[in-house]
Amino acid sequence: MSGIRPTGFLHLGNYFGAVRNYVRMQESYTCYFMVADLHALTTLTETRELKNHVRRVLAENIASGLDPEKVALYCQSHVPETAELYLLLNMLAYKGELEKTPTFKEKVRLHPNNVNMGLLTYPVLQAADILLQRATLVPVGKDQEQHLEMARNYAGRFNQRYGEVFPEPYAFNFGESLIKVPSLDGAGKMSKSENQMATLYLADDDETIRNKIKKAKTDSGAPGGDMPESVANLFLLLELVCSQDVVDKFRADYQAGTVRYGDMKKELAEGMVAFISPIREKAEQIRNDDSYLRKVMEEGAAKARANAAATLQLAKEAMGLNYFAKI
Ligand code: AMP
């Protein structure tokens, strides 16, 4: 189970941290993937663009290879059971620990005039999404590690207090460790809303991709010393979209102090264009197909709600909220 907030265009971080894993998981797991529109409301005060963003996230997921026939692909707000479990889990969530969450502190810094309770209890809502589907594996990027730990805590507290209902969920990546795709300016990670010139979006046209990569930060190329983060970032991106031969060649050049960043960026740009452009074109078609998107959302919600209702029943019985049961 996993989700992506519809707060903007999907970028390479979303793809490599999350969507790529979704696409692989659909072959061998029962999967629930959603557009986290309720989570988006924790920071969006203006919702006129929400509909377009929701359609875009769905379309870009499908264009990246997600098959709505194989998984439940749905909108968070179409599964009202989420709100009920969220309410129940709030009894197990402590104000002090929520206030200490680094992502909450960061959001307070970014949105000082909108520090609402949704923002504070964001990890509780996320735990509700995951536990509602009784998920064990949650494909996410590195930034979500702590939220997963909190979801495990809530599951553990619930089980201890009321009896075993929820399996423990873990962050998941097919590789060795969770991924963080860095931004092109060497400052932080790619993001939907910040650093837009240093973030590569799945909707970027070929020229935009080439321009952004051309402007990416590097160093003087002199040998010796530790590789600066900005250059390490370029190598990481190169590894994501170019062949191993190309990566090895530039790594050897870098070691020898003969690396030509102009050439390296050209290779990276062409690799990126070849990777992004088919997804962009396919997503564009899907985004304009109203009846298809409606069908995907309705069928996805039906699958997610069936599983959610069964879990909620178990949770309420465990909590003693079953007044008609035989004694
Ligand atoms: P969000 O865009 O915050 O809703 O995140 C959706 C998914 O993308 C989550 O699984 C995140 O962990 C992942 N993600 C977002 N940004 C990055 C990034 N720069 N690198 C890796 N994963 C990311």
Side-chain angles (χ1 to χ4, degrees):
M1 194 283 145
S2 195
I4 298 182
R5 285 170 308 143
T7 46
F9 291 35
L10 292 201
H11 51 79
L12 278 194
N14 296 133
Y15 182 85
F16 287 106
V19 181
R20 179 174 64 166
N21 287 305
Y22 302 178
V23 173
R24 285 182 65 183
M25 287 179 94
Q26 70 183 343
E27 302 305 332
S28 36
Y29 296 91
T30 305
C31 298
Y32 296 87
F33 297 125
M34 62 162 201
V35 185
D37 53 350
L38 299 176
H39 273 112
L41 295 180
T42 60
T43 52
L44 287 185
T45 46
E46 165 58 70
T47 54
R48 243 178 313 200
E49 278 301 305
L50 188 59
K51 183 177 169 193
N52 287 336
H53 287 323
V54 167
R55 295 166 65 104
R56 178 178 290 283
V57 172
L58 286 169
E60 289 179 342
N61 268 285
I62 298 167
S64 299
L66 204 61
D67 181 351
E69 302 277 322
K70 291 184 181 160
V71 305
L73 180 59
Y74 58 101
C75 239
Q76 188 181 28
S77 64
H78 292 170
V79 182
E81 290 79 5
T82 311
E84 199 170 345
L85 185 60
Y86 163 71
L87 174 69
L88 300 178
L89 292 181
N90 265 314
M91 314 307 167
L92 301 156
Y94 300 115
K95 179 170 158 275
E97 76 189 345
L98 288 167
E99 280 169 343
K100 272 190 251 153
T101 314
T103 42
F104 173 66
K105 289 190 188 160
E106 172 68 3
K107 295 260 175 68
V108 170
R109 194 180 64 74
L110 290 172
H111 310 275
N113 299 322
N114 186 23
V115 183
N116 58 70
M117 289 304 284
L119 212 52
L120 181 67
T121 59
Y122 189 110
V124 189
L125 181 57
Q126 189 171 341
D129 296 322
I130 297 166
L131 300 183
L132 198 53
Q133 306 301 348
R134 305 179 76 225
T136 48
L137 301 180
V138 184
V140 284
K142 194 160 177 52
D143 57 324
Q144 292 296 320
E145 224 167 6
Q146 173 150 28
H147 286 174
L148 260 294
E149 194 184 324
M150 295 173 83
R152 271 196 303 285
N153 285 341
Y154 300 142
R157 279 176 209 164
F158 185 101
N159 292 344
Q160 206 174 26
R161 194 180 289 182
Y162 304 114
E164 201 71 23
V165 170
F166 299 115
E168 284 196 333
Y170 285 88
F172 177 77
N173 185 290
F174 273 99
E176 294 271 295
S177 54
L178 300 183
I179 279 198
K180 172 184 144 185
V181 177
S183 71
L184 295 169
D185 58 7
K189 57 172 190 158
M190 289 198 183
S191 140
K192 292 206 208 84
S193 47
E194 292 162 70
N195 299 330
Q196 295 193 351
M197 273 315 288
T199 293
L200 291 164
Y201 296 95
L202 298 182
D204 279 346
D205 62 45
D206 296 354
E207 273 325 288
T208 307
I209 297 169
R210 292 190 180 102
N211 275 332
K212 285 182 178 176
I213 292 177
K214 204 189 256 175
K215 293 196 184 110
K217 199 168 166 204
T218 52
D219 66 356
S220 64
D226 288 341
M227 186 186 277
E229 212 187 335
S230 54
V231 175
N233 291 350
L234 283 188
F235 274 108
L236 193 136
L237 294 175
L238 207 62
E239 269 169 14
L240 291 175
V241 296
C242 293
S243 71
Q244 197 55 46
D245 288 356
V246 171
V247 179
D248 291 346
K249 177 209 170 309
F250 285 107
R251 274 206 193 281
D253 289 353
Y254 182 84
Q255 301 294 341
T258 56
V259 67
R260 291 160 62 119
Y261 286 123
D263 292 350
M264 180 165 151
K265 285 177 171 180
K266 258 186 215 147
E267 284 283 353
L268 177 59
E270 291 322 305
M272 206 56 87
V273 164
F275 171 75
I276 288 179
S277 59
I279 298 181
R280 180 188 65 225
E281 281 156 25
K282 193 158 179 216
E284 196 58 34
Q285 282 171 9
I286 299 169
R287 225 154 51 81
N288 294 320
D289 192 340
D290 253 333
S291 59
Y292 174 68
L293 282 179
R294 173 189 277 265
K295 179 170 166 282
V296 166
M297 278 195 258
E298 285 176 353
E299 290 179 2
K303 287 187 225 173
R305 288 197 71 182
N307 199 39
T311 305
L312 202 53
Q313 181 71 20
L314 286 177
K316 287 166 83 172
E317 275 173 21
M319 291 178 96
L321 298 168
N322 57 337
Y323 311 127
F324 301 114
K326 287 195 192 113
I327 301 169

